[in-house]
Each structure stands twice: as C-alpha cells, then as structure tokens.
Amino acid sequence: MIKEAKLMDYNINYKEFYETFPSGFFSSLPNGTIINSNKNFLALINYSREEVIGKKKFTDFLSLGEKIYFENVFAPALKLSGSIEEVNFNFTKKGGTRFPVLVNSVEIKDISETHLYTHSVVFNIEQRKKYEQELLKSKKNANELSNKLTAVNKELRSRTELISKQKLQLEEFNQNLENKNSQLSSFAHIASHNLRAPVSNLMVLKDFYKENTDVKDKAMLFSKVEIVIDRLSETLNELIESLIVQENKDIMYDAVNFDTTFAKTLAVLDIQILDSKAVVTSNFSEAPTIEYPKLYMESILLNLISNSIRYRAPDRVAQIHFHTEIINNEILLIASDNGLGMDLKKYGHKLFGLNNTFHRHPDSKGVGLFMTKAQIEAVGGSVTVESEVDKGTTFKIILKKKNND
C-alpha cells in the first residue's frame, strides 16, 4: 500500500509524454483525418502543425500503390484485430522526398465498442534501411568473393588433380623405362652369354670339321653342331616370344573357364605329373570364369605347374593347389606348392628376371617366370610371391579383367 501511494505521487503528464515521445506519434479519426500529432511526427514529414491537423489524412503521405495496400490490407487488419504492428511504408515529406517508416497503430474505442480514433506510432527506419542496404551489399560482395574463392579452389583442385595424374603417368613412364632398361640388360646378358657361347662353339666346331678328314669324326662333330644349333634356336625363340608378349598392343580377350583351361594344362603335363607323382588339385568355384587372353592363361598355368613340379622337394610328395578368390572386385589366382621354396631376401629381386635361376636343376632356364610376369602385366595385372626355403611357394596373381579397363 505504501509503494502504491508513492507511485501515485508521480503525477505523469501524458500530454507531455505524447509530445516528447521519441518517435513520430499521431492520432486520426476513423476516416483517417489526423486530429493530433507530436512534434517528432511533424519533423519527420516536414510540415507545420497548421498544415496537418484537421487537413491531412494518413493516406496523404502514401504513394498510390501504398494507398491501395492501406485500404485493402492495413485498414481491414486493424479493424479486425484492433491493432497492427511494424507495417513498412514509404512516407512522402513536404517537397516530395520519400523515406521508409514502420507504423504501429491501435484503435481506441468507447465502452460501446465504437471506434473513436486511432493512435499511430511512426518509426523512421531510413538509417536501418541504409544498414540493410549496406548489409545486403556486404553480403553480395561476400557471396561474390566466396564464389570467386570457390572457383579458385575448384581450379586449384583441378590443377592438383592434373598434376597428380601427370605425376602418376610420369611414375608409370619411369617404371616402364626402368623395366625396359632391365630388359635391355637381360637381353645384353643373353647376347653376351647364351648367344655368344654357342656361336663360339659353332666356330670352333666348324674349324675342327674343316681340319678333320676322318668321316666318323666329321659325323660326330656335325652331331654336336646340331645340338648347339638346336640350343641356339631354342634361346632365340624364347627371346622372340618374350618380345612379342611385351610389344603386343592388340591383345584379344576370350571367355576363359578356369576348370577347362586347367584340365587342358594337366593333360599337356601328364607325363611329368605321373613321373613326379605330384598331387595337383584346384578349386575355382569362387571365380569360375574370366574374360582374359586364352593363350596367356594357358601359358601362365603351364609355367606355374611345371615350375612347381620341377622344384618339388625330394623327400615329400609334391602338393600343388590352384584356386581363385574375389578381392576388391578383382579376381585373384593363387598357386601354392610345398616344394623347395626360396630365400626371397636373397633372390626376390631377381625372381622374375630373364635367365635367372635359383636351383641347380638341369631344366632350369630362367625363362618361365619371366614370361609369366610379362604376360600378367601385359594385361594390366600384377603378381606377388611368398616363399620359404624347404616349405614351399605361393604365387598370388591379380588378373586384370577386361571390364575393369
């Protein structure tokens, strides 16, 4: 009660409050005629009190389009709810200058709900509009800058991808160059040893043959010449075949059935398998077929099986197994045996080199694995080896499918 009494002591001058209200304030009749206003509203529209009170209506400060909006939207909404807030208009000052405002209006009614007049508050939002324009301009500039940065980033990514692609191509080119250099070294080795030696033998045998007059001796010398020529011819054919594989750019693909091709290979090696008593098994159920050069597949199987038989361990039955797996949508051909194995730390880097042998076997020529690797890589595949001395060897071959190209 004490507090209410003290509050009542503040004799608020509402006329002064009306006049000093910090924004424009005016009162109008139901037909819109302005019957009172504070000085801030008059300052906003740049009219004198005499020019406005009883002479101007709300709509006199609006454009034609805004008048239509006032009559069809603003006035009905005000009448329906009794108040309306923050409606944006552009008022026209005396002299024709226009400026943006926000209008809040409330109807004042008597006890019988008859509309007596309307109070309207007018906020000048000219500065806010400038801020909004500046903000929109800044946002537009930021968007343009962002778009430029996006375009620059896209260009940088494109160039980075191009550089990565060119780097990859360069690495592949360098790898191919290294392979070519390695092959040239192998061919130089063959030329200096495998070809020059039999040619030298032929020259010696020719001299012996010329100098010798005994018919039997000549026949014996000629038989040796035939042996040397056969060996020379075999070496030349192997070199030519390896060159054909490496230079063949138009590889023909066939529908290869692993079981059928494997059976055909076993038939070719029938004598060796029987003689060695090797147990050769297979399981191609996971990937039974592939689009692949048929001749290459036959050669790969032939070389790997004959290699396993040739380098079997003497103290146990050779167990040779082939199977297929699918890993990462690639077909993997796996060939394993329990043979002699090899020390990969010592010989791994030479394993697929031409004319490299790692066991003292009379049939070792160092060509089979070279050919196998060349044929696999010619189609885009790869081969890796796991091996332990006296435990066996496993070849894992990724066969590049035609539809992966």
Side-chain angles (χ1 to χ4, degrees):
M1 292 297 290
I2 296 173
K3 289 182 178 178
E4 287 182 2
K6 286 184 177 179
L7 286 174
M8 292 298 290
D9 290 340
Y10 292 99
N11 186 17
I12 298 174
N13 185 339
Y14 288 99
K15 185 176 179 181
E16 183 183 352
F17 170 75
Y18 187 98
E19 190 62 32
T20 60
F21 190 73
S23 297
F25 197 115
F26 69 86
S27 303
S28 55
L29 296 174
N31 67 0
T33 302
I34 297 175
I35 57 174
N36 198 5
S37 78
N38 68 358
K39 60 182 181 184
N40 284 330
F41 178 68
L42 295 173
L44 285 175
I45 59 177
N46 201 27
Y47 279 95
S48 66
R49 180 174 293 278
E50 291 72 20
E51 291 174 311
V52 174
I53 304 304
K55 297 177 181 175
K56 292 288 186 183
K57 292 183 178 180
F58 189 136
T59 52
D60 289 338
F61 305 101
L62 304 179
S63 66
L64 178 60
E66 288 177 325
K67 285 179 181 177
I68 294 173
Y69 175 81
F70 179 89
E71 292 169 357
N72 291 280
V73 179
F74 186 91
L78 178 61
K79 187 174 183 180
L80 182 66
S81 62
S83 65
I84 191 166
E85 295 180 351
E86 297 195 346
V87 178
N88 187 191
F89 289 107
N90 286 300
F91 271 24
T92 303
K93 291 183 179 182
K94 184 179 180 181
T97 305
R98 293 170 61 78
F99 64 102
V101 297
L102 282 180
V103 176
N104 293 340
S105 296
V106 59
E107 283 187 347
I108 305 300
K109 300 177 182 178
D110 61 12
I111 194 169
S112 62
E113 292 294 313
T114 300
H115 181 193
L116 299 177
Y117 48 85
T118 302
H119 286 321
S120 295
V121 179
V122 179
F123 296 98
N124 182 359
I125 59 171
E126 196 169 13
Q127 198 60 39
R128 184 194 297 184
K129 284 289 184 182
K130 287 182 180 177
Y131 290 149
E132 289 178 356
Q133 292 297 326
E134 289 295 327
L135 190 62
L136 288 174
K137 187 177 178 181
S138 298
K139 186 179 179 182
K140 182 181 177 184
N141 290 338
N143 287 336
E144 289 177 353
L145 182 60
S146 176
N147 291 336
K148 286 180 181 176
L149 288 174
T150 301
V152 170
N153 285 335
K154 186 178 180 182
E155 178 67 19
L156 285 174
R157 281 199 299 272
S158 176
R159 290 187 181 185
T160 302
E161 289 173 0
L162 180 61
I163 291 172
S164 298
K165 187 176 180 181
Q166 289 175 337
K167 182 183 176 185
L168 186 62
Q169 290 174 339
L170 191 59
E171 288 174 350
E172 290 178 352
F173 178 78
N174 286 337
Q175 185 61 49
N176 289 334
L177 198 59
E178 288 181 8
N179 291 340
K180 291 289 183 187
N181 286 335
S182 176
Q183 289 162 8
L184 282 174
S185 297
S186 296
F187 278 100
H189 180 80
I190 293 292
S192 63
H193 291 83
N194 293 45
L195 295 181
R196 191 170 63 182
V199 170
S200 297
N201 287 338
L202 283 177
M203 295 298 291
V204 172
L205 289 171
K206 184 195 72 173
D207 292 341
F208 283 163
Y209 187 86
K210 281 184 176 179
E211 293 169 1
N212 206 316
T213 56
D214 185 85
V215 176
K216 289 184 178 179
D217 286 346
K218 281 197 168 192
M220 183 271 295
L221 288 170
F222 188 76
S223 67
K224 291 186 178 297
V225 168
E226 285 183 321
I227 292 171
V228 175
I229 288 175
D230 288 344
R231 177 56 185 158
L232 186 60
S233 176
E234 185 179 353
T235 302
L236 282 172
N237 287 334
E238 288 168 349
L239 287 173
I240 291 169
E241 190 177 353
S242 66
L243 281 173
I244 291 172
V245 171
Q246 293 169 49
E247 298 300 328
N248 187 4
K249 304 297 183 186
D250 189 21
I251 299 172
M252 299 296 291
Y253 285 78
D254 308 285
V256 173
N257 181 288
F258 283 108
D259 280 323
T260 303
T261 309
F262 195 72
K264 181 179 177 180
T265 307
L266 294 186
V268 172
L269 296 171
D270 187 44
I271 299 300
Q272 290 94 317
I273 293 171
L274 287 173
D275 184 56
S276 65
K277 296 181 175 56
V279 177
V280 185
T281 57
S282 64
N283 182 358
F284 302 115
S285 57
E286 188 165 337
T289 61
I290 188 174
E291 288 285 319
Y292 206 79
K294 189 176 180 179
L295 290 177
Y296 285 5
M297 182 59 70
E298 290 175 351
S299 175
I300 292 167
L301 294 178
L302 185 71
N303 276 316
L304 291 178
I305 296 173
S306 60
N307 231 39
S308 292
I309 294 172
R310 184 178 300 122
Y311 301 117
R312 65 188 182 276
D315 57 345
R316 55 181 176 267
V317 176
Q319 303 282 346
I320 304 168
H321 181 69
F322 281 64
H323 72 280
T324 52
E325 294 179 6
I326 296 178
I327 298 177
N328 297 328
N329 200 33
E330 299 279 7
I331 293 181
L332 197 64
L333 175 65
I334 300 173
S336 59
D337 64 47
N338 63 341
L340 293 172
M342 67 189 78
D343 185 349
L344 289 179
K345 289 183 179 178
K346 190 174 181 180
Y347 300 115
H349 64 291
K350 296 181 178 178
L351 184 60
F352 295 103
L354 186 60
N355 210 43
N356 288 325
T357 58
F358 312 101
H359 296 289
R360 293 182 178 179
H361 192 282
D363 294 333
S364 298
K365 293 182 288 186
V367 175
L369 288 182
F370 173 82
M371 287 295 299
T372 298
K373 188 172 188 288
Q375 288 165 335
I376 293 168
E377 292 181 345
V379 191
S382 61
V383 55
T384 56
V385 184
E386 298 168 2
S387 187
E388 284 188 60
V389 175
D390 203 33
K391 289 188 176 179
T393 302
T394 298
F395 289 89
K396 294 184 177 181
I397 302 163
I398 296 176
L399 299 169
K400 192 72 173 179
K401 293 184 291 186
K402 185 180 181 182
N403 56 10
N404 280 356
D405 291 341

